[in-house]
């Protein structure tokens, strides 16, 4: 049984080793850069505070406050200022590592035996000589303990940076969560744990080599880390020197297979008909993350739904349940409020739904959302954080249908399905085109009161991007009215359950429709 469970994992590692190696390298670079910055800030600051001790507690207390901020909140806070990608991730990771390094540096230097300091002064040593030859060597075990603690915090927290497009092993973990595939989760989690152990071992050996005698081993390790971090960018710059740079358009997609498939269609169509290079940022997080990245001009456009724009971004009620009228409301509102332009929508709707298992629907005779009212005190609902908060989500269910579930749990989109399958929840929010609706025989309960507005997907770009690259409007509008719900569900199934590349699935569809040259 164990061998049968392990074998698919190793097969996946072998098949996706390119993805694993890329994610691992991104994780190493992000972690090392953050750790080096934290060391270069915290160690000198700790040295200064050891000489001016009145300011020590306020400064160390400030770094402690930074560490109490939830990592996701800090990452989200940085997006409007630094955009998405590795920069805000490195800033956040550095902030998390400051406190243990700073506190240990200060404590280690402060606790050096005063008699040794007095003796060194008697030997004619100045302040810098004392620091170099007495204080730092003796305090190094304490300082290295702080650095090792900071490193563990960085490597672990860096997995969340995937939610803002920073890459790393978190990409694999999020992919596994969204697909309910534990093997992908392990493929990200195991290397992250091993990476922490390897770096910790290197730091521990360095500490032993330098204990009480010389700082040279530490300088060697720092130099090696710097070399590892700066060499790839230098080589890339040398390799691309003199190459003609094509204009780049950055298009993002939220978490999930569907946005990734659609933005790959955008890329293929634009690059076929223009000389522009399209850079994709799939899986960058929730609606708010993608939207803030667009406003911050960190991306040029992303794939959004009309219902989400109306209810979540504009805070309005839909004027109509007619698809075209809802789209016009979204298009006009997004332009007037944010100077963002919706291009033409596709034909399918990925609307919200309340879903239960087919077995429960048959057992309780559930066909519509209203049928849940009779059982609301006995059922546990697992909703995404976004659905639990938006007006056309659970609050709308409460207002329109008068349903108050006895227990409502909020969780990541990929986890709520696991809760339903395991029996920990009986009702979830779902999307009509998601592959798990077919994979797990789920039933979408009918929305008889038309609570959920139309959810047609369409490209959302800043006005300045459309003005700069006017060709892309006509190119992407070729997808207007295309793709049925069944076709989208099939494509999602190929990516989520059959583990095909989203780019291959997108290419197949476009070629079959005659929009892409073979």
């Amino acid at each position: 049984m164990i061998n049968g469970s392990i074998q698919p994992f190793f097969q996946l590692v072998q098949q996706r080793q390119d993805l694993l190696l890329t994610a691992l390298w991104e994780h190493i670079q992000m972690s090392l850069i953050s750790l080096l910055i934290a060391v270069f800030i915290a160690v000198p600051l700790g040295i200064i505070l050891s000489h001016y001790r009145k300011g020590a507690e306020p400064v160390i207390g400030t770094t402690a406050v930074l560490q109490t901020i939830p990592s996701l909140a800090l990452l989200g806070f940085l997006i409007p200022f630094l955009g998405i990608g590795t920069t805000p991730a490195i800033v956040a990771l550095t902030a998390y590592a400051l406190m243990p390094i700073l506190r240990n540096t200060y404590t280690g230097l402060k606790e050096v035996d005063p008699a040794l300091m007095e003796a060194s002064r008697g030997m004619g040593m100045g302040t810098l000589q004392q620091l170099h030859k007495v204080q730092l060597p003796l305090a190094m075990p304490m300082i290295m303990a702080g650095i090792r603690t900071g490193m563990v915090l960085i490597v672990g927290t860096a997995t969340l940076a995937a939610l803002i497009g920073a890459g790393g092993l978190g990409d694999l973990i999020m992919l596994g969560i969204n697909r309910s595939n534990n093997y992908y989760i392990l493929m990200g989690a195991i290397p992250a744990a091993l990476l922490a152990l390897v770096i910790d071992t290197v730091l521990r050996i360095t500490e032993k080599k330098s204990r009480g005698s010389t700082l040279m081993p530490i300088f060697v390790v720092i130099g090696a880390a710097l070399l590892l971090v700066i060499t790839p960018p230098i080589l890339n710059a040398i390799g691309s020197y003199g190459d003609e740079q094509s204009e780049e358009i950055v298009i993002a997609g939220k978490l999930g297979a569907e946005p990734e498939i659609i933005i790959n269609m955008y890329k293929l169509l634009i690059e076929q008909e223009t000389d522009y290079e399209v850079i994709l940022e799939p899986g960058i997080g929730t609606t708010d993350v993608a939207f803030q990245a667009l406003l911050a001009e960190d991306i040029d456009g992303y794939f959004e739904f009309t219902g989400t724009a109306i209810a979540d971004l504009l805070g309005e009620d839909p004027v109509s349940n007619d698809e075209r009228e809802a789209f016009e409301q979204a298009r006009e509102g997004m332009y007037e409020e944010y100077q963002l332009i919706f291009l033409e929508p596709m034909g399918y709707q990925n609307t919200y739904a309340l879903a239960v298992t087919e077995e429960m629907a048959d057992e309780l005779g559930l066909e519509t959302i209203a049928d849940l009212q009779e059982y609301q005190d006995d059922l546990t609902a697992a909703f995404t954080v976004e659905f639990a908060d938006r007006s056309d989500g659970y609050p709308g269910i409460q207002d329109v249908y008068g349903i108050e579930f006895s227990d409502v749990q909020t969780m990541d989109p990929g986890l709520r399905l696991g809760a339903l399958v395991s029996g920990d929840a009986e009702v979830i929010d779902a999307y009509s085109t998601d592959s798990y609706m077919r994979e797990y025989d789920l039933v979408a309960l009918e929305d008889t009161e038309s609570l959920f507005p139309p959810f047609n997907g369409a490209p959302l770009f800043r006005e300045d991007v459309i003005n700069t690259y006017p060709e892309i409007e006509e190119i992407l509008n070729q997808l207007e009215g295309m793709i049925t719900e069944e076709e989208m569900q099939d494509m999602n199934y190929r990516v989520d359950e059959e583990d095909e590349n989203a780019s291959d699935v997108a290419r197949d569809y476009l070629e079959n429709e005659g929009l892409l040259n073979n």
Side-chain angles (χ1 to χ4, degrees), residues 458-477:
L460 182 64
F461 285 88
R462 296 193 315 276
E463 183 181 23
D464 62 290
V465 176
I466 297 299
N467 290 338
T468 304
Y469 309 106
E471 306 96 318
I472 68 173
E473 181 171 2
E474 183 178 350
I475 292 170
L476 297 185
N477 280 346

Side-chain angles (χ1 to χ4, degrees), residues 186-198:
L186 290 175
M187 194 164 69
I190 292 175
L194 292 176
L195 178 61
L197 289 174
V198 168

Side-chain angles (χ1 to χ4, degrees), residues 51 117 120-135:
H51 288 84
M117 296 297 294
S120 64
R121 278 193 294 271
M123 295 172 63
M125 289 187 186
T127 301
L128 291 178
Q129 286 179 308
Q130 285 180 309
L131 177 66
H132 176 63
K133 294 185 177 181
V134 180
Q135 288 177 291

Side-chain angles (χ1 to χ4, degrees), residues 291-479:
F291 183 62
Q292 291 298 327
L294 183 60
L295 294 182
E297 300 187 7
D298 210 50
I299 61 175
D300 296 319
Y302 75 101
F303 175 62
E304 186 56 278
F305 290 97
T306 53
T308 299
I310 293 170
D312 213 30
L313 303 179
L314 296 173
E316 300 176 358
D317 293 324
V319 296
S320 171
N321 280 309
D322 177 80
E323 293 182 24
R324 191 67 204 182
E325 291 180 9
F327 172 71
E328 293 298 338
Q329 179 186 359
R331 177 159 63 179
E332 291 172 9
M334 294 301 288
Y335 183 75
E336 291 175 4
E337 186 76 18
Y338 303 107
Q339 287 70 58
L340 301 178
I341 296 178
F342 257 126
L343 304 186
E344 291 300 322
M346 286 188 249
Y348 78 96
Q349 284 197 59
N350 188 3
T351 185
Y352 268 125
L354 289 192
V356 298
T357 62
E358 188 176 287
E359 180 182 359
M360 173 165 287
D362 292 340
E363 179 182 340
L364 301 181
L366 302 176
E367 295 181 356
T368 70
I369 294 176
D371 294 337
L372 291 169
Q373 189 173 41
E374 182 180 349
Y375 306 98
Q376 60 184 327
D377 295 331
D378 305 315
L379 299 177
T380 297
F383 294 148
T384 60
V385 176
E386 190 170 325
F387 183 82
D389 186 57
R390 50 191 289 160
S391 61
D392 62 338
Y394 184 48
I397 297 291
Q398 294 170 303
D399 293 339
V400 174
Y401 288 98
I403 295 175
E404 297 268 358
F405 292 106
S406 61
D407 186 13
V408 176
Q409 303 292 328
T410 56
M411 57 188 67
D412 181 89
L415 297 178
R416 77 196 193 287
L417 175 62
L420 183 68
V421 174
S422 66
D424 293 322
E426 291 82 29
V427 183
I428 65 170
D429 63 299
Y431 303 106
S432 59
T433 60
D434 280 356
S435 61
Y436 56 70
M437 296 295 291
R438 186 174 77 180
E439 175 71 8
Y440 295 99
D441 295 322
L442 303 187
V443 174
L445 301 178
E446 184 182 355
D447 176 21
T448 54
E449 299 298 322
S450 300
L451 167 65
F452 303 132
F455 279 80
N456 295 92
L460 182 64
F461 285 88
R462 296 193 315 276
E463 183 181 23
D464 62 290
V465 176
I466 297 299
N467 290 338
T468 304
Y469 309 106
E471 306 96 318
I472 68 173
E473 181 171 2
E474 183 178 350
I475 292 170
L476 297 185
N477 280 346
Q478 294 178 90
L479 294 171

Side-chain angles (χ1 to χ4, degrees), residues 498-509:
E498 298 179 353
D499 201 27
E500 294 189 45
N501 290 327
S503 59
D504 294 335
V505 174
R507 180 179 295 278
D508 288 347
Y509 177 83

